Amino acid sequence: MQILVNDENEITDYVLLGQSAGGIEVANEALPDNFFDTFKPNYYLYKDGQIILNENWVDPNTISKSATPTADQQAITAMAQQMADQQQHIASIEQALTALAQGGAKS
């Protein structure tokens, strides 16, 4: 079996059959008893030839996202609103020019 690890030695994936570029060969005896049942990317570390639990692992499904927009999100929203307002203003100017041109052609 081979494991794939990232720069922080977190096990990101594993290969049971065949080989993977950059894979590290690991004997089945080195695996924790419940490795396959509990495996999640980054849940285990490969350290000094051993597979151990990553004590810093956080389930990505439990990370709460803030309901308050960030400053960047607020700035992007404000810019989008400005663009919409400008497009609306341009459309009204185009309508006025068209009306003027049509009125001027009739004279």
Side-chain angles (χ1 to χ4, degrees), residues 10 16 27 36 81 85:
E10 297 168 328
L16 292 175
F36 297 110
Q81 184 62 50
D85 292 344

Side-chain angles (χ1 to χ4, degrees), residues 14 17 20 26 28-29 44 63 65 71-72 77 81 95 101:
Y14 62 88
L17 299 173
S20 180
V26 175
N28 286 344
E29 296 80 35
Y44 288 101
I63 297 173
K65 302 212 177 198
D72 289 342
T77 301
Q81 184 62 50
Q95 286 177 341

Side-chain angles (χ1 to χ4, degrees), residues 13-80:
D13 212 345
Y14 62 88
V15 178
L16 292 175
L17 299 173
Q19 295 182 345
S20 180
I24 300 169
E25 194 68 34
V26 175
N28 286 344
E29 296 80 35
L31 299 175
D33 291 335
N34 56 353
F35 178 81
F36 297 110
D37 294 331
T38 59
F39 179 83
K40 295 172 192 79
N42 307 331
Y43 186 66
Y44 288 101
L45 296 173
Y46 183 68
K47 196 168 185 176
D48 300 324
Q50 294 182 329
I51 296 176
I52 58 173
L53 284 177
N54 181 357
E55 294 178 10
N56 297 323
W57 183 80
V58 176
D59 186 348
N61 296 324
T62 62
I63 297 173
S64 64
K65 302 212 177 198
S66 174
T68 306
T70 64
D72 289 342
Q73 291 169 329
Q74 290 174 346
I76 290 170
T77 301
M79 288 174 26

